[in-house]
Amino acid sequence: MKKTLIAAALLAGFAGAASAQSSVTLYGVVDMGIEFQNVKSGNNFRFTDGITTKSSMSKFGMVSGVQNGSRWGLKGVEDLGGGLKANFVYESSVNANDGTGANNFTRQSTVGLSSSTWGAIDLGRRTAPSTYAFSGIDPFGSAFGTAALTKSFGTNFIRYSNMVMYTTPNFSGFTAAVGYSFDTALGNGRVLQSTTNNPVNPVVPYAYETNNKTRAISIGLRYANGPLLVAGTWDRINAAGSAYVGVPPNAAGLNSDKIDVWALGATYDFKIAKIHAAYGQQIGGVVNNQALIGGTALVPELTSNPAGSTVSGGGLLFAAGARTNSWMVGLTAPIGDNVKVFGSVQQLIPGGTFNTWTVSRMSDQTIASIGATYDLSKRTNLYAYYSYVNNVAMLNGVKANTVAVGIRHRF
């Protein structure tokens, strides 16, 4: 049975019978690998679980979603006539190594309208316009663990919730997208503190006001024509406002109210090889980089530095006067019909007030990575990669080595 019919039957279980004018498709990715990773803390830091400390940690085992995040989804379209179409996407993560789901449909949950004449508008949670524009710039496709470009550039792959996004039609290779998120779901909101010492109810959740949510605006410009791809992006992430009653905003620890991220990238395909390059900045903090090595904690932690920000969470670190510069160069080359090799070198360089955080001893983060894929068919391939990180998360002396092999199947 065709998967579109299967998907229609599944959709009926969610929301009744599918319309006769609609088409619904079931799709997904199953990606399973075996990975080894070692992280060394150097002389300035130690790993801690809150009880004991270590200078080195290693892990070896199964991992889901190396080349692409394992997922399944439903997408549908309805022809409304006159060139106008309605569409939806529900996409959910899957931990392929144990079969469990993750966070419902948080990869994408959108409904929208599209037209070849005026473009498309999507409402809900999805990748940002900056992610859309930068697609193809990273030789590793914003994946492969520590090799991903997002470890240095912040918003080249990011999702926002509660977003309205508009994408233009394609004008001879040029497209643009703009989005606004009313609540990104990247960080926790503020707490409204009581002005009186009320032992029964001393704290009231912030919840209500819009400016007490982490909001974002994102713009992506893209030109893809022939062998040339050029992209430019800008994101502003606004911190949840300080809603403390009776005290100055700075008493809440809010020493930066926004992070600005911009990037330029390009590729050129010479057929025998494709070159990749990118440059960008993050101003007022960093995005995503705190999650570079999952499941570890460092002493002293970056966010515990008195000179730094106390406002962090959800992959965001707000810090007044702080900035980073990022660059990447890479190469992709086919070998025969089935093999592709790729590699990149990237840096995340601290600047501004980051350089005053002497307790944390911040240094340039450098990542060097190489990978390869072997196609068994149009939908199934094998992969392998190795990545080395010096000064993980810009922390001097912290190093990581990662190697993984696996298989990816798309349906």
Side-chain angles (χ1 to χ4, degrees), residues 190 239 252-259 284-286 290 301-313 316-322 353-354 356-357 360:
R190 290 287 179 176
L254 184 63
N255 56 14
S256 178
D257 60 359
K258 62 181 179 292
I259 302 174
V286 291
Q290 292 167 282
E301 293 181 357
L302 187 62
T303 55
S304 69
N305 189 327
S309 174
T310 57
V311 183
S312 62
L316 301 175
L317 175 66
F318 293 91
T353 55
F354 273 149
T356 68
W357 293 15
S360 292

Side-chain angles (χ1 to χ4, degrees), residues 179-194:
Y180 181 80
S181 170
F182 296 90
D183 184 359
T184 65
L186 291 175
N188 296 326
R190 290 287 179 176
V191 171
L192 180 65
Q193 299 285 357
S194 173

Side-chain angles (χ1 to χ4, degrees), residues 136-139 227-229 265-278 328-333 343:
I137 299 296
D138 182 5
L228 179 64
L229 166 63
T267 69
Y268 194 90
D269 193 348
F270 292 96
K271 300 301 181 183
I272 60 172
K274 181 188 291 187
I275 58 172
H276 305 248
M328 179 277 295
V329 292
L331 184 74
T332 301

Side-chain angles (χ1 to χ4, degrees), residues 5-325:
L5 298 178
I6 298 173
L10 288 172
L11 184 62
F14 287 105
S19 169
Q21 292 79 30
S22 300
S23 66
V24 181
T25 303
L26 171 68
Y27 69 95
V29 175
V30 182
D31 184 316
M32 181 70 71
I34 299 176
E35 180 184 82
F36 173 79
Q37 185 176 76
N38 172 261
V39 188
K40 296 181 179 180
S41 63
N43 296 324
N44 299 316
F45 305 95
R46 289 293 182 269
F47 300 110
T48 180
D49 59 3
I51 301 174
T52 60
T53 60
K54 297 181 178 180
S55 61
S56 178
M57 295 193 302
S58 297
K59 63 178 181 179
F60 177 64
M62 304 290 292
V63 59
S64 173
V66 177
Q67 182 178 1
N68 284 134
S70 296
R71 73 196 76 163
W72 75 276
L74 294 168
K75 58 184 177 182
V77 61
E78 180 184 16
D79 191 341
L80 301 175
L84 184 65
K85 296 180 180 180
N87 57 79
F88 80 92
V89 178
Y90 271 152
E91 187 172 289
S92 177
S93 298
V94 177
N95 297 318
N97 52 316
D98 61 11
T100 61
N103 301 320
N104 301 315
F105 293 99
T106 54
R107 287 188 61 92
Q108 185 165 342
S109 177
T110 57
V111 64
L113 297 171
S114 65
S115 164
S116 59
T117 303
W118 56 260
I121 186 167
D122 290 312
L123 308 175
R125 175 176 173 81
R126 58 156 295 161
T127 52
S130 51
T131 301
Y132 160 80
F134 240 60
S135 175
I137 299 296
D138 182 5
F140 288 85
S142 300
F144 289 97
T146 57
L149 188 63
T150 191
K151 301 305 185 288
S152 297
F153 279 71
T155 60
N156 74 289
F157 191 94
I158 195 167
R159 293 181 176 89
Y160 295 137
S161 296
N162 304 290
M163 183 171 63
V164 179
M165 176 173 164
Y166 169 71
T167 307
T168 70
N170 189 313
F171 299 106
S172 300
F174 176 83
T175 54
V178 60
Y180 181 80
S181 170
F182 296 90
D183 184 359
T184 65
L186 291 175
N188 296 326
R190 290 287 179 176
V191 171
L192 180 65
Q193 299 285 357
S194 173
T195 56
T196 60
N197 185 16
N198 185 341
V200 177
N201 187 23
V203 177
V204 179
Y206 82 101
Y208 186 76
E209 293 185 326
T210 302
N211 67 354
N212 284 324
K213 306 178 189 297
T214 305
R215 292 143 291 132
I217 184 170
S218 178
I219 298 174
L221 305 175
R222 179 181 176 89
Y223 177 78
N225 197 355
L228 179 64
L229 166 63
V230 179
T233 67
W234 174 74
D235 287 67
R236 169 168 289 180
I237 300 174
N238 295 297
S242 177
Y244 285 67
V245 176
V247 295
N250 285 342
L254 184 63
N255 56 14
S256 178
D257 60 359
K258 62 181 179 292
I259 302 174
D260 286 304
V261 185
W262 67 265
L264 297 173
T267 69
Y268 194 90
D269 193 348
F270 292 96
K271 300 301 181 183
I272 60 172
K274 181 188 291 187
I275 58 172
H276 305 248
Y279 180 82
Q281 287 186 323
Q282 300 181 71
I283 303 167
V286 291
V287 183
N288 276 338
N289 188 256
Q290 292 167 282
L292 181 65
I293 303 294
T296 68
L298 290 167
V299 179
E301 293 181 357
L302 187 62
T303 55
S304 69
N305 189 327
S309 174
T310 57
V311 183
S312 62
L316 301 175
L317 175 66
F318 293 91
R323 67 173 56 227
T324 63
N325 295 301

